[in-house]
Amino acid sequence: MKLSRRLIPDVTTLQAFECAARHGSFTQAAHELNLTQSAVSRQIKDLEEQLGVLLFERVRQRVVLSDDGRRFLPEVRKLLHQTEETMLRAMASASSEHSLSIATLPTFGSRWLTPRIPGFLAEHPGTIINIASRSAPFDFDEENFDLAIHYGQPVWARAACSYLCSEEILPAASPELLKAWSPSEPKDLEAAPLLHLATRPKLWAQWFDLNGGSADTAYRGHRFDQFSMVIESAVAGLGFALLPKYLIEQELAHGRLAVVFDRPMETENSYYLVVPEGKLENPLSQAFRAWIARQVP
């Protein structure tokens, strides 16, 4: 598709707009950008003429965004962020013939994937890896990743999903908390402090249903939006947590956490490697897919 150069603004002009919007002042924006106030004012005027809308209104000694300006600002910030990321990735891989950009779930990436990456790099020396966290599916056309690791169902627009593994969770706690409560059977945890993953609020209720406990009190307790926070809270003794064993390998090995009952529960979703349709034949993506398949149990 041929792009119209008339519709593509200069990045410096977008930077001037974003900076002026953030400060509510052309003068402060000029100071941050090391420009004159008149230069910033001229850039904003040129952008307004290009768009055909008024982006700022003058109120007393300040400039404030117009309705059109407020609608335009999030898109500008997104574009500037993507531009910066593109440049940084290009700079990072400038000395390498091969690079691979991977989107992964935050805790999975930090606790399981990253410690194993040296093994992949040993097989593919000279490869530059870019790993970023993403908690939900995104549009590969808008974010330039070669592949993603996804927990859920094998559904992703304009991409192919390859099964990696299922997920099993089991109750874990700090040794101190375990000693204080000394549970001998699952129902002993009904009155205990429970920790929850906010995105999966029914886990404890489901586990109690499978193991003979009551789900009536299964929803109370502290909530966190990442497994990493749940893990650290469990280590700190805040409560009992349902956790995937592969995410707490180090804590179990060093005695910071202990398994309460060896009664794992398989969750309803699984992990998948997702590759956009346009990169299915990428040799490095194919190599990573084969490598990661060997890492899972």
Side-chain angles (χ1 to χ4, degrees):
M1 181 179 66
K2 185 177 180 180
L3 300 176
S4 173
R5 296 185 62 183
R6 184 180 63 83
L7 297 177
I8 302 177
D10 192 291
V11 171
T12 57
T13 300
L14 296 180
Q15 286 179 313
F17 165 70
E18 191 281 331
C19 194
R22 180 160 31 88
H23 288 293
S25 167
F26 289 178
T27 302
Q28 292 184 42
H31 180 72
E32 179 178 321
L33 298 171
N34 198 26
L35 298 171
T36 63
Q37 190 271 349
S38 61
V40 171
S41 180
R42 184 170 60 253
Q43 287 178 319
I44 299 300
K45 182 179 179 182
D46 290 344
L47 184 59
E48 288 177 329
E49 289 179 353
Q50 185 177 15
L51 295 171
V53 298
L54 186 69
L55 296 173
F56 290 96
E57 297 173 351
R58 292 191 176 275
V59 177
R60 298 184 180 89
Q61 301 300 316
R62 302 181 70 244
V63 290
V64 297
L65 286 170
S66 66
D67 290 341
D68 288 317
R70 281 192 291 272
R71 285 190 289 269
F72 189 48
L73 181 59
E75 298 299 325
V76 169
R77 285 176 170 160
K78 180 180 178 181
L79 180 59
L80 290 174
H81 178 69
Q82 290 176 337
T83 301
E84 182 181 46
E85 279 198 338
T86 299
M87 291 297 294
L88 290 173
R89 280 198 297 267
M91 292 166 67
S93 60
S95 60
S96 174
E97 294 182 2
H98 307 289
S99 64
L100 193 67
S101 292
I102 304 166
T104 182
L105 299 158
T107 309
F108 182 93
S110 63
R111 288 179 164 265
W112 189 90
L113 178 62
T114 304
R116 289 169 170 80
I117 284 294
F120 176 76
L121 295 179
E123 296 180 16
H124 302 274
T127 298
I128 295 296
I129 297 290
N130 170 53
I131 299 178
S133 61
R134 295 292 186 275
S135 297
F138 55 86
D139 190 340
F140 277 105
D141 291 336
E142 294 184 2
E143 301 202 49
N144 189 27
F145 288 102
D146 297 303
L147 48 87
I149 294 171
H150 165 60
Y151 173 80
Q153 296 296 313
V155 178
W156 196 303
R158 298 183 298 281
C161 298
S162 301
Y163 175 81
L164 284 179
C165 61
S166 59
E167 179 186 68
E168 288 187 340
I169 57 174
L170 43 67
S174 68
E176 294 78 13
L177 187 67
L178 194 55
K179 182 178 180 181
W181 283 83
S182 300
S184 59
E185 54 185 337
K187 69 177 183 180
D188 291 338
L189 296 180
E190 292 175 5
L194 304 179
L195 303 178
H196 302 268
L197 184 64
T199 54
R200 305 194 210 170
K202 299 180 180 179
L203 288 182
W204 272 111
Q206 293 167 346
W207 188 85
F208 278 131
D209 283 343
L210 286 175
N211 291 281
S214 171
D216 293 342
T217 59
Y219 296 96
R220 53 181 178 68
H222 304 297
R223 297 180 185 277
F224 307 88
D225 73 348
Q226 297 290 340
F227 261 136
S228 58
M229 297 180 185
V230 179
I231 293 168
E232 292 304 320
S233 299
V235 170
L238 289 183
F240 294 85
L242 285 172
L243 298 167
K245 197 171 183 178
Y246 65 85
L247 291 183
I248 54 173
E249 294 170 341
Q250 293 299 314
E251 285 76 12
L252 293 174
H254 292 90
R256 294 193 295 271
L257 286 177
V259 173
V260 182
F261 298 110
D262 191 13
R263 298 191 181 190
M265 177 183 76
E266 186 169 317
T267 57
E268 58 188 6
N269 292 316
S270 300
Y271 286 92
Y272 297 88
L273 186 70
V274 186
V275 182
E277 292 176 347
K279 298 183 178 181
L280 290 172
E281 304 304 319
N282 182 318
L284 199 54
S285 293
Q286 292 179 337
F288 186 87
R289 180 166 51 186
W291 170 82
I292 198 172
R294 298 195 303 270
Q295 309 306 309
V296 297

